[in-house]
Amino acid sequence: MWSLIRKSRTMTCSLLTLSLPLFYNSISTIYRPARSLRNPLVTTSSVFLAPISSSAIRAFCSKSSEARGMADRAVLSIHNPDSISYLNQREAAEIDEILMGPLGFSVDQLMELAGLSVATSIAEVYKPGEYGRVLTICGPGNNGGDGLVAARHLYQFGYKPSICYPKRTNKPLYNGLVTQLESLSVPFLSVEDLPSDLSKDFDILVDAIFGFSFHGAPRPPFDDLLQRLVCLHGSDQTRQKAPVIVSVDIPSGWHVEEGDVGGEGIKPDMLVSLTAPKLCAKKFSGPHHFLGGRFVPPFIADKYKLRLPPYSGTAMCVRIGKPPQVDISALRENYISPEFLEEQVEADPIDQFRKWFDDAVAAGLREPNAMALSTAGMDGKPSSRIVLLKGVDKDGFVWYTNYESRKAHELTENPRASLLFYWDGLNRQVRVEGSVQKVSDEESDHYFHSRPRGSQIGAIVSKQSAVVPGRDYLYQQYKELVEKYSDGSLIPKPKHWGGYRLKPEYFEFWLGQQSRLHDRLRYSPQDVDGKKVWRIERLAP
């Protein structure tokens, strides 16, 4: 039996190569160094030199929580923006001084987290397949440094960033960030190199020009650059898709507390607030407002009475306000995948499944052994649910459940079922159909006692699919059994619990491709000279 190892629900994210202090709290914030603070000399971190697939983006922003019925993949959303704190300029500067002083944070650490938060916020909304061309416009200060870091992470996420950095800061930190981007062949464009109409060459325009400490009128060349951004949303758009503007911390040119005072400033589509939203963010009317970063310790939250949204799982960003209403009919993904050809696949579908399953594990996908199990009783009414694959070999696919559940009753009446694996990020599905029978008592008993003791007790408590008075009823029974077996004695497997094995008679491997020309390869058994062989055929998408 090719056993499946239970994966930890904790994902390890490795893009940050700096050593970060462990001020990691559910009430969190991110750094914005005040202009009055002296930037220390720093050593820049190393970077990855190859892009990461778009699926890996979600390890930071979404894989920590996207609502698919699995808890850790959608970014949390705080629907009432008035329930959180907004900082004025003085408070923002004071918090920076605390972070940079007694808490011991360095500029490069905090800038790294800021840029990562911006990149993951962008990736949450604007996918690289549709919004791949990014221009990051960087100012001379720390806001510009955040933009440089964000561009590096966007490259790793599969985007194609370009940089406009007309007033470079000649300090080791900033020089190192430029070197890192140049090593990735990310182009740096002068203001003169930019097209007059930015919408022709770019899908996303990142405004990383001015931070909260800026005041006064923008000077050349930033006045012209800001005017170009204003013009994008200031005239009728005849193009099919206008580029989106993403502002870092505050929209450049806005007053940090009063917002777009004259009403003639840029109108970003996304605002990524850092530390906590500044007062001007209350005037932001775009569809996407995110808070990024996570490192405010409790005493700062208490001192400034900060009410900030919690981050889910390993997310580096959290949405503020309701997500915009979506036209469900317009939701679509233009898949980009390598070719999937008949001559490339394994002759045995079990071997091909193992190959794809190993890829899903290596990609860090959450619960790659999750599968939709579909059954139907004598009445022909189908039902589906997600269960976890616990083993696969030449004899078939194994899962465990309660033998008195609805699916078990349906399998008794009609011992046939269908399995569906869906591996988002790899653009892959696998369908398996076949007959089903129970595994041996010995096999069920062995697996039962390999489970955590809490799961063993839960299997005894749950009369699966039966009506219960409430959750307290279940919890009380659970507590009683925990006490009963607190001496560490063997917990007996209940007779109504065990495994099933589906013996496959049909496989289909699906790979998403552009323009809906998906690859579909079907394996069906044939008898050749008295031997069972698998016939491989391509199906129309």
Side-chain angles (χ1 to χ4, degrees), residues 5-26:
I5 300 174
R6 180 180 296 274
K7 293 176 80 255
S8 167
R9 293 180 179 271
T10 302
M11 300 186 69
T12 302
C13 301
S14 58
L15 279 184
L16 287 179
T17 56
L18 298 172
S19 176
L20 300 178
L22 298 178
F23 293 108
Y24 196 64
N25 193 279
S26 62

Side-chain angles (χ1 to χ4, degrees), residues 59 73 97 117 125 234 257 301 322 337-338 442 505 526 536:
R73 233 200 109 214
E97 290 175 2
S117 298
V125 177
E257 297 175 3
K322 291 183 179 180
S337 306
E442 293 77 14
E505 301 168 2
Q526 280 189 318
I536 302 173

Side-chain angles (χ1 to χ4, degrees), residues 435-449:
S435 59
V436 178
Q437 62 185 15
K438 291 180 179 179
V439 305
S440 67
D441 288 340
E442 293 77 14
E443 194 172 342
S444 292
D445 194 71
H446 176 77
Y447 174 72
F448 181 82
H449 289 110

Side-chain angles (χ1 to χ4, degrees), residues 245-416:
I245 299 174
V246 177
S247 288
V248 177
D249 203 22
I250 70 169
S252 293
W254 283 27
H255 189 281
V256 66
E257 297 175 3
E258 299 174 15
D260 185 15
V261 177
E264 299 179 353
I266 64 175
K267 305 293 190 293
D269 303 272
M270 174 184 285
L271 173 62
V272 184
S273 293
L274 303 171
T275 302
K278 312 307 180 290
L279 282 171
C280 67
K282 289 187 175 183
K283 307 295 179 65
F284 172 70
S285 59
H288 305 291
H289 186 191
F290 284 85
L291 177 65
R294 325 176 49 157
F295 50 76
V296 166
F299 84 88
I300 285 185
D302 293 341
K303 176 179 174 63
Y304 291 93
K305 296 181 172 57
L306 295 181
R307 300 183 309 278
L308 300 177
Y311 292 81
S312 175
T314 57
M316 291 300 296
C317 58
V318 56
R319 182 184 285 275
I320 297 173
K322 291 183 179 180
Q325 290 189 341
V326 175
D327 177 5
I328 295 177
S329 67
L331 291 176
R332 58 179 52 87
E333 187 81 21
N334 192 24
Y335 302 102
I336 300 175
S337 306
E339 289 183 325
F340 185 50
L341 304 177
E342 289 86 337
E343 56 266 25
Q344 296 174 340
V345 301
E346 301 291 334
D348 190 318
I350 292 289
D351 293 335
Q352 182 62 38
F353 175 84
R354 288 175 174 172
K355 188 175 181 179
W356 273 22
F357 184 88
D358 288 344
D359 289 344
V361 172
L365 301 187
R366 176 176 165 78
E367 293 192 317
N369 56 330
M371 59 185 185
L373 166 65
S374 298
T375 56
M378 292 296 292
D379 58 7
K381 295 179 179 179
S383 63
S384 299
R385 74 287 292 162
I386 299 295
V387 299
L388 296 179
L389 178 70
K390 289 301 173 183
V392 60
D393 59 17
K394 296 296 184 182
D395 294 325
F397 295 76
V398 175
W399 69 94
Y400 292 87
T401 188
N402 187 306
Y403 286 153
E404 297 175 355
S405 63
R406 175 180 174 179
K407 57 182 168 292
H409 287 301
E410 291 177 345
L411 287 171
T412 299
E413 296 178 356
N414 176 21
R416 302 190 64 79

Side-chain angles (χ1 to χ4, degrees), residues 173-184:
L173 170 58
Y174 297 89
N175 293 338
L177 293 174
V178 169
T179 299
Q180 292 168 12
L181 288 161
E182 289 176 339
S183 74
L184 300 173

